[in-house]
Each structure stands twice: as structure tokens, then as C-alpha cells.
Amino acid sequence: MLAQILIPVVVILLILVALNSPIWVAIFGATLYLQIFVNHMNLTNLFTGIFEACTKTSLLAVPYFILAGSIIASSSLGTRLINIFIALLRNIRGGLAIACLVANAIFGAISGSAPAATATFGKVVYEPLKEAHGKKLSLGLITSSGALSTVIPPSITLIIFGVATETSISRLFICGFLPGIVLVAIVAVYLFIVCKENAFATSTVSDNCEDDIQNLTIKKAFKEGILVLLLPVIVLGGIYSGLCTPTESGAIAALYSFIVAFFVYKDLKPSNLMGIFKDSAKTTAQIFILIAVSTAFAQAATIAQLPLMIQGMFSGVGKIGFLLILNIVLLIVGCFFDSSAGILIFAPMLLGTAVSLGISPLQLGIIFTVNLSIGMFTPPFGLNIFVSQSVLKVSMSDVAKSVLPFIGLYVLGLFLITYIPQISLILPQLLGQ
């Protein structure tokens, strides 16, 4: 029975994707099939569900964080942020590469946008990195480290998982902190080993910096960038202390970024604002239409009893086997699907099975997020690959080859996060969440 329902659904999805249809069209086509031919239901309920999916108040955090990321990417805030870590890590082997990695992680605590992080820091550090450590390492690092913005809270992907599975978004944010640190640590150790020398010898960090890297002091970097560094402290501090909801923190992030960029650093002019608002609105609309049709698909799948069938299929596999299969499936899904779509389609169907095997929904959310973040820079369709190609003006094959070592590093981190659940769950326990 499960195969009779799933095979046509998968075929519809693959055909529409192969025809270069937007992913939401493919999901909507599969939803129509389930509602008409499997559930035999009136389509009025389908469109009602699509509308209701976008009216959940917890989704208000998404446009705020997207707007904050757009402001940072359009101003010098990203450059000022990475300058702080360049100044701090200048005397460490591979310091520039590690600075890029850490700055991406901090950027994730501001915007939650992997493509924005890739574009922002790619422009800043690509040339110095390429000169010091070669084209392959610099491309791989820039393309892959943007995915940290998907894992480290506040993460739009975690918000969507929380909405899809009715899991506390604040608790998911707390759970995502240590897994993000684990991934940063693994990649930092790798960079320390493979980078044989310091990069701080010549050239400027970016066009926005007038000083030579050698003249960039810690005092100067902090003086020029301390307001940027305070932003993740304000955002995460508000969430973790319970003073702010994720939505309120998103609004604070957007407002703070605007005030600092427009009034303090004066990087933005009134003429820039319309473009920022348009880009943010476009990205928000893309995410919300995915949320709408994917939620409708999840509802149709539930009515068709697909989650129960899947749970029965895994009844004899056990927890370790289920997690292994889950990771393999999600890594493949991440190569072809947007992370939002992957979560909205698969999380509701697999949640019941995971809970029945003793897997916390919080840990499941982190596993989903890390898997799909890897998919963002995995060939052939990882979104960050296309962003790097566009921003850095390099070939697709060069980017695809450069990310392979980093895929291995992130998969190692995924293995630890999957089979050591305390990495994800210890902070909520310590904080009494």
C-alpha cells in the first residue's frame, strides 16, 4: 500500500523537477494527486490549508531575519565583523581561513541565511585566501562555511522545523548552539592542519578597507566593528534569557542592523533601501510559498496515512538503523531540494517514527538541519555552489571539486551530532528548558 501511494508521488515530483518547474510547483502537483486520487477530497480544503499555513505567528520571525541579513550584506557590517576575527587570529597558522569560518558562524547568529553569508564573505576574503592558500581551499571554505548560518541559531531552517512539527522554536535555537560549535571546531582543526602558513602578508581584506592587513590592529578592528559584534549577543541573549521571542529578536536584529548601518556607519543611503526591501520581500515570498504548499502536502500525506505506514516500515529497524537511513535519505534530499521544502515534506511524516524510537523532536530538528545544510553545498544542485559561482566568477566544476573535503568534515560532525544526542540536548537541560 505504501509503495502504491509513494511511487506516483515521487514520479510526479521528479518529472516536474526535471522539467525545470519551481520546486513549489512540483510539491503542489504531488499534493493535488494525493488529494484527488488517494484521499478523494474536495480541493476547497486544500486551498484553505495553504492559506492557514502562512498565518502562523511564529513565521513572522522569518522576514525579520531575512531583512537583517540583507542589510548586513548591503553594508560594511560583514566586513567589519570579519576584520575583528582577522585581527584576533592573525598570528595563528591559517588565521585568515579560520577567521572566515568563525565570521560565518557569527553571521549565522545574526541572519540565519546561508546564501547571504556566502555572498557577503566571499566578496571580502576570496582574493586574500586564494593568494595565501590556493583557489581550491578558498572556494571550498567560502562555499561550505555559509551553511553554518543554517545550523547556528537563530536559524530560519529551525524556525520552519518548529512550525512544521509544532516544536518549541526557542528550545530548537538553544539546541542548535553546541552542534554549530562542533562543526566549527572540526573545520577549524582541519584548516589549522592544511594551512601551512599565515595569510597576513599582502593586500587588503576588501575594497571597503583602506588599511593593509598587516596594519589591522585588534584595537582598530574592535573600535570599528564592536557594534556588529554586539548584535548576536543581543539577539541570542534575548532568546536564551527568555526576554524575547524569536519573532521579537528578529525584529530587533533588523532594526539594530538598520540603525547601525544607516545612522552610525552611514553605509546605507535612502537610495539603497528600496533594493534591500525588494530582495528581502522576494526571498520571503519564495520561502512562504514553499511553506504553504509543503504544509498542504504534509496534511494530504497525513490524511493518506503515510506517516503511519512509514512508522510501520521502520518498526523492526531500531533507533541506530533508523538514524542511519534518515541521514542517508536527507543527504540525498538536500542535494535536490531546498532545505525548507525538505523539512516541510519529510519532518511531519518521520516525526512519529522518531518519537516512537525514543528520539527527541529537538534532536530530530538538529539532525534535519545539519543534513540539509550539507546539501546546500553538495553538487550538483547545492544553492551555495551557484551563489559562489555567481559572486566569485568561477566555474561550476571548480566550486564542485573544492567542496568535497568539506563535505567529509561536515558528515563527520553530523555523525557525532546524530549518535551523541547530548550535544544537542545538554543546553536545554542545563537551562531548564
Side-chain angles (χ1 to χ4, degrees):
M1 183 65 178
L2 178 62
Q4 293 176 353
I5 298 175
L6 271 184
I7 290 175
V9 168
V10 173
V11 169
I12 291 170
L13 284 169
L14 292 178
I15 289 175
L16 289 174
V17 170
L19 292 173
N20 206 29
S21 299
I23 188 64
W24 71 266
V25 173
I27 296 169
F28 188 61
T31 306
L32 286 175
Y33 166 79
L34 286 174
Q35 287 291 74
I36 296 172
F37 297 104
V38 178
N39 299 331
H40 307 290
M41 292 187 67
N42 192 312
L43 292 182
T44 302
N45 295 330
L46 172 63
F47 292 102
T48 301
I50 287 175
F51 174 77
E52 291 178 350
C54 293
T55 59
K56 296 178 180 179
T57 55
S58 53
L59 288 174
L60 285 173
V62 174
Y64 287 132
F65 283 118
I66 289 173
L67 178 58
S70 295
I71 292 171
I72 293 168
S74 302
S75 65
S76 69
L77 300 190
T79 301
R80 295 173 188 271
L81 178 65
I82 197 169
N83 280 350
I84 291 175
F85 294 102
I86 287 173
L88 288 172
L89 301 171
R90 62 182 307 123
N91 295 321
I92 297 176
R93 190 172 70 182
L96 178 59
I98 298 173
C100 176
L101 175 72
V102 176
N104 268 284
I106 301 297
F107 189 92
I110 300 173
S111 71
S113 173
T118 301
T120 299
F121 295 111
K123 296 173 185 176
V124 174
V125 298
Y126 176 61
E127 289 300 330
L129 266 178
K130 183 174 72 170
E131 182 179 344
H133 303 301
K135 183 178 180 180
K136 184 176 180 180
L137 184 136
S138 57
L139 279 177
L141 174 62
I142 291 167
T143 306
S144 62
S145 57
L148 291 169
S149 301
T150 307
V151 180
I152 295 178
S155 160
I156 293 172
T157 307
L158 287 176
I159 292 172
I160 292 171
F161 182 89
V163 171
T165 61
E166 298 183 354
T167 304
S168 168
I169 295 172
S170 295
R171 296 182 72 194
L172 283 168
F173 281 179
I174 295 172
C175 289
F177 186 74
L178 279 183
I181 297 300
V182 167
L183 293 174
V184 170
I186 290 172
V187 179
V189 170
Y190 169 79
L191 293 173
F192 184 81
I193 293 171
V194 300
C195 295
K196 302 299 184 183
E197 58 185 17
N198 261 337
F200 303 106
T202 58
S203 139
T204 56
V205 181
S206 76
D207 293 337
N208 295 324
C209 299
E210 297 179 356
D211 293 310
D212 197 296
I213 291 177
Q214 291 177 324
N215 299 324
L216 184 64
T217 64
I218 293 177
K219 181 179 179 180
K220 179 178 176 60
F222 268 91
K223 181 181 178 181
E224 295 182 348
I226 187 65
L227 293 179
V228 187
L229 199 60
L230 284 176
L231 180 52
V233 176
I234 294 170
V235 172
L236 294 181
I239 294 172
Y240 293 165
S241 66
L243 294 175
C244 302
T245 66
T247 299
E248 292 165 346
S249 293
I252 291 170
L255 180 60
Y256 183 93
S257 300
F258 171 75
I259 291 173
V260 171
F262 193 86
F263 293 105
V264 180
Y265 296 141
K266 299 181 180 179
D267 295 320
L268 298 181
K269 305 197 181 319
S271 58
N272 302 133
L273 296 180
M274 187 55 68
I276 291 172
F277 292 144
K278 282 183 177 179
D279 289 342
S280 301
K282 181 180 178 181
T283 304
T284 300
Q286 291 170 339
I287 291 175
F288 269 62
I289 196 169
L290 270 175
I291 291 171
V293 296
S294 299
T295 301
F297 176 85
Q299 291 171 347
T302 301
I303 295 170
Q305 297 187 329
L306 279 177
L308 289 175
M309 295 178 191
I310 292 172
Q311 187 171 336
M313 183 179 69
F314 282 104
S315 59
V317 173
K319 182 176 178 179
I320 294 177
F322 170 77
L323 288 172
L324 178 61
I325 295 171
L326 176 66
N327 281 329
I328 293 172
V329 170
L330 290 178
L331 285 171
I332 295 171
V333 167
C335 297
F336 298 95
F337 281 79
D338 178 87
S339 58
S340 302
I343 283 176
L344 289 160
I345 292 172
F346 291 96
M349 289 197 292
L350 296 171
L351 178 65
T353 304
V355 172
S356 69
L357 292 171
I359 301 168
S360 166
L362 296 171
Q363 186 196 4
L364 185 68
I366 303 303
I367 292 172
F368 261 84
T369 303
V370 175
N371 268 291
L372 296 173
S373 74
I374 297 172
M376 296 194 76
F377 61 90
T378 300
F381 300 116
L383 177 59
N384 283 10
I385 293 177
F386 294 98
V387 174
S388 287
Q389 180 199 22
S390 174
V391 171
L392 305 179
K393 310 300 181 185
V394 292
S395 70
M396 184 74 70
S397 61
D398 284 344
V399 182
K401 293 174 185 175
S402 70
V403 297
L404 295 179
F406 293 91
I407 292 173
L409 295 170
Y410 277 76
V411 169
L412 171 61
L414 172 64
F415 180 84
L416 296 175
I417 291 164
T418 299
Y419 290 105
I420 307 177
Q422 287 304 104
I423 293 176
S424 302
L425 302 178
I426 191 169
L427 270 186
Q429 293 169 357
L430 292 174
L431 296 174
Q433 295 286 329

